[in-house]
Amino acid sequence: GENVEQHPSTLSVQEGDSAVIKCTYSDSASNYFPWYKQELGKGPQLIIDIRSNVGEKKDQRIAVTLNKTAKHFSLHITETQPEDSAVYFCAASSRLNYGGSQGNLIFGKGTKLSVKP
Amino acid sequence: KAGVTQTPRYLIKTRGQQVTLSCSPISGHRSVSWYQQTPGQGLQFLFEYFSETQRNKGNFPGRFSGRQFSNSRSEMNVSTLELGDSALYLCASSLGASGGVNEKLFFGSGTQLSVL
């Protein structure tokens, strides 16, 4: 089945700096890659996603890049702010996951981002 | 448009008891998935329901069960609670088309279950 690895597990940056979180996946058939942000006491919130026919997608200070050949995708946050502090999860989805015991989305283990003012 | 609603927000139970958690998906969404989240294991998939039928099932014991109603609302039940069942239980909904694959998944705030 699909396996998603996420690095780093913790990341600390100064306010205003950029943050990059990287994920790799194993299933070459995966073609949908969302990113979630989870703040303390809340459920994961979808912040951006990308499909395999696109190499990069931006939304204000957030961008995601996808390299299908290398099977990795990354989340880039520019001009970080204290409110960006949270746990971020990447995930991958493939038609081959359908009916499988992992569910339709395979999640990474998460990255705890701390933005210091 | 209202998001995914989970009730109750917090639960405290003792070992051996059973518990029922409730989830109302986003209006128009027909698929509901349940996840268990713990600090050590991350997000673990429990099961997915679509049109009142269980479509996917994770690797959890039979003590964990669920169901979905005709209005797409879902409940999950855990019987004979164990200390290790203490976790945040998350419900997520999606449109459910195309087998639910490659779809945006929207999470509720979760139910924090503590088993004493």
Side-chain angles (χ1 to χ4, degrees), chain A:
Chain A
E2 173 68 284
N3 182 47
V4 175
E5 294 197 0
Q6 182 172 346
H7 299 281
S9 57
T10 60
L11 179 60
S12 183
V13 300
Q14 287 294 134
E15 182 177 359
D17 287 351
S18 295
V20 180
I21 302 170
K22 298 182 179 181
C23 288
T24 59
Y25 60 98
S26 59
D27 182 2
S28 58
S30 290
N31 46 20
Y32 173 61
F33 309 92
W35 285 88
Y36 288 84
K37 173 185 180 182
Q38 187 174 25
E39 297 173 308
L40 201 59
K42 297 183 179 181
Q45 176 191 3
L46 178 65
I47 56 173
I48 194 167
D49 56 9
I50 191 168
R51 299 186 185 272
S52 59
N53 57 345
V54 176
E56 184 177 1
K57 184 176 179 181
K58 289 183 180 180
D59 183 3
Q60 299 183 344
R61 297 185 296 108
I62 293 174
V64 58
T65 58
L66 171 65
N67 183 326
K68 287 217 71 179
T69 304
K71 290 191 283 187
H72 68 70
F73 56 113
S74 301
L75 178 71
H76 304 253
I77 306 174
T78 59
E79 301 172 20
T80 53
Q81 301 168 3
E83 51 264 39
D84 294 329
S85 295
V87 178
Y88 291 80
F89 293 94
C90 63
S93 177
S94 163
R95 286 193 175 275
L96 296 182
N97 294 339
Y98 175 71
S101 63
Q102 293 176 291
N104 293 329
L105 273 183
I106 313 305
F107 286 89
K109 292 294 186 184
T111 296
K112 184 176 182 180
L113 173 65
S114 299
V115 180
K116 298 179 180 179

Side-chain angles (χ1 to χ4, degrees), chain B residues 9-58:
Chain B
R9 187 72 180 89
Y10 302 95
L11 265 179
I12 299 176
K13 293 287 186 178
T14 55
R15 278 182 302 173
Q17 287 187 311
Q18 75 165 17
V19 66
T20 299
L21 313 181
S22 181
C23 172
S24 293
I26 292 172
S27 177
H29 284 194
R30 298 170 64 194
S31 169
V32 173
S33 298
W34 289 88
Y35 289 81
Q36 181 195 66
Q37 186 176 33
T38 57
Q41 299 297 319
L43 285 159
Q44 291 190 287
F45 173 72
L46 282 156
F47 28 65
E48 182 212 3
Y49 286 87
F50 175 77
S51 291
E52 303 177 66
T53 301
Q54 188 179 84
R55 190 157 64 175
N56 285 357
K57 187 179 187 303

